[in-house]
Amino acid sequence: MKEKLLLWLDRFLIADVFLVIIGFFWFAIALMGRSLGISLGWDIWYQLWQPVFNPAIGILFTGALLSWLVKKVSATIKG
């Protein structure tokens, strides 16, 4: 049961990493476009920052710490 939970947590975190990476590249491109006066989606990205990207970063860090903690406790119990 624990292994299955960790497997799904790892899969979710991988998907979350890709969301954060895509959000970062979108941010970089939109910021360059904004500085050049070209609309490359800055307004949309900025509207999605609070409800999408900010929680995704928090979930990523929390999930990584939780995964590490569960694996560490599991190794301590076994060893």
Side-chain angles (χ1 to χ4, degrees), residues 14-53:
I14 289 170
D16 195 40
V17 164
F18 283 112
L19 177 66
V20 170
I21 290 171
I22 289 168
F24 170 73
F25 283 120
W26 184 5
F27 168 75
I29 292 168
L31 188 62
M32 284 188 284
R34 183 173 168 90
S35 68
L36 296 172
I38 304 168
S39 177
L40 294 177
W42 172 261
D43 295 328
I44 297 170
W45 184 91
Y46 192 73
Q47 289 175 350
L48 292 176
W49 166 250
Q50 194 66 30
V52 177
F53 297 118

